[in-house]
Amino acid sequence: MADNTKKIEKKVEKKVEKKVEKKVDDAWDATRLPDLAGRTAVVTGANSGIGRTAADALARAGAHVVFAVRDLERGRAAAATVNGSTEVRRLDLADLSSVREFADGWQGRPLDLLINNAGVMMLPQQRTADGFEMQFGTNHLGHFALTNLLLPYVTDRVVTLSSGAHRWGNARIRFEDLGFTSGYDPQRAYAQSKLANLLFTLELQRRLAASGSPVRALAAHPGYAATNLQSHAANPVMRGLMKFGNSFLAQDDRAGALPTLYAATQDLPGASYVGPDGLGEMRGGPTLVGRSAAASDAEVARRLWTVSEELTGVSWALGAGKSGASGALGTEGRVAAER
């Protein structure tokens, strides 16, 4: 009886070992990137964190990677650490004139991949150069304008970084007060901006499909990744908690970049959302993940798109006719952003 029990235990152990080995073998990482030779990628915020790690992986796979960064000196320093073909160009997503300057300087070059990675998180109340709440203005409106201005040159896909924060506190798009002019809350403002990223991806994919474009729009989130993004939180208690979390709970930026790389290179349906496969989507390998009901609301996505066009002065660039961008926002546009 004892011998039979031992035999059974050994069989179970072998099965478990095989499952573990298979899971390790199946784990997707940057070594599985396809050959990207001859392809061009723009990565916003590529000077640090997940953006720099993703840019490095894409360059190592053969892509020419454009570091779209606010600080050219830091961007050049980051690009110098990358083993591959790189280029550094200035882009300040909190200033629509900078976004237009970046797009104007693109000069019709084919762009295979646009990764909308840059972002700010839970800042003290601030305004962009155009008068928008900083998190909504940078994380959503800046990327909305950039994407539409570059879209005529994009050949493959647009990947926009969101966050599990899009679920915080029953997050919604506050159309009545996008700028949090009353009762500013850095956490809720951040959640709104991340929800906007998912709604933008949803409506962008709808428009791409309707226009017959082969380009796909996808979204990704890194889980809980240790980057310098959390160090700017308005609340000092929150900064302390996130510092602790970064040290003991978070995964590193290499793991945090995997959902972005997976969304950027794997054959996935448009509007897919990629995140970690671990508990609570905090860490783990990249996989398709779900989103909140608010992030799946097609009607709100269309309304947000319309409002975003009005606020940025940048319109849909594909379809029956191309609508260009207007000049810098005047008082009327800035006031609308605060409603």
Side-chain angles (χ1 to χ4, degrees), residues 26-106:
D26 289 345
W28 194 93
D29 60 26
T31 64
R32 297 195 175 192
L33 285 172
D35 182 2
L36 300 176
R39 295 167 69 82
T40 297
V42 167
V43 182
T44 68
N47 58 287
S48 65
I50 290 168
R52 194 206 69 80
T53 302
D56 177 70
L58 293 170
R60 287 176 181 273
H64 174 71
V65 182
V66 180
F67 284 54
V69 298
R70 186 177 57 180
D71 187 323
L72 286 175
E73 185 175 345
R74 290 181 61 200
R76 291 179 183 125
T81 68
V82 170
N83 181 19
S85 176
T86 63
E87 176 184 346
V88 181
R89 298 188 57 199
R90 187 176 184 279
L91 171 68
D92 183 354
L93 290 162
D95 184 347
L96 291 177
S97 65
S98 175
V99 175
R100 290 187 178 91
E101 184 178 353
F102 183 96
D104 289 343
W106 195 251

Side-chain angles (χ1 to χ4, degrees), residues 70-249:
R70 186 177 57 180
D71 187 323
L72 286 175
E73 185 175 345
R74 290 181 61 200
R76 291 179 183 125
T81 68
V82 170
N83 181 19
S85 176
T86 63
E87 176 184 346
V88 181
R89 298 188 57 199
R90 187 176 184 279
L91 171 68
D92 183 354
L93 290 162
D95 184 347
L96 291 177
S97 65
S98 175
V99 175
R100 290 187 178 91
E101 184 178 353
F102 183 96
D104 289 343
W106 195 251
Q107 299 179 334
R109 297 159 55 188
L111 174 58
D112 300 280
L113 176 62
L114 172 60
I115 298 181
N116 292 324
N117 164 82
V120 293
M121 180 179 184
M122 294 189 290
L123 299 174
Q125 191 168 23
Q126 300 176 41
R127 299 288 165 187
T128 68
D130 303 284
F132 308 127
E133 188 277 314
M134 183 63 76
Q135 297 182 91
F136 187 75
T138 301
N139 299 350
H140 170 60
L141 292 176
H143 281 127
F144 175 90
L146 178 70
T147 300
N148 276 289
L149 291 170
L150 292 180
L151 200 55
Y153 316 116
V154 177
T155 62
D156 187 4
R157 68 188 76 186
V158 177
V159 177
T160 300
L161 270 287
S162 183
S163 166
H166 84 275
R167 299 179 184 272
W168 287 357
N170 296 317
R172 66 181 182 86
I173 303 299
R174 294 163 45 112
F175 289 107
E176 76 282 4
D177 185 18
L178 290 171
F180 280 83
T181 56
S182 61
Y184 178 73
D185 181 303
Q187 285 79 27
R188 289 190 176 186
Y190 180 64
Q192 174 181 249
S193 74
K194 294 290 98 180
L195 173 59
N197 291 149
L198 284 173
L199 291 168
F200 164 63
T201 298
L202 185 66
E203 177 63 7
L204 176 58
Q205 178 58 38
R206 186 193 70 79
R207 287 170 175 256
L208 287 167
S211 69
S213 171
V215 175
R216 282 173 282 182
L218 300 95
H221 82 85
Y224 190 176
T227 70
N228 62 5
L229 186 66
Q230 298 97 333
S231 64
H232 303 291
N235 188 321
V237 175
M238 184 65 73
R239 286 200 302 272
L241 289 173
M242 288 191 291
K243 183 177 181 181
F244 174 84
N246 282 358
S247 300
F248 299 102
L249 302 175

Side-chain angles (χ1 to χ4, degrees), residues 271-288:
S272 292
Y273 186 31
V274 180
D277 63 2
L279 181 65
E281 298 174 20
M282 299 287 279
R283 55 192 302 140
T287 189
L288 293 178

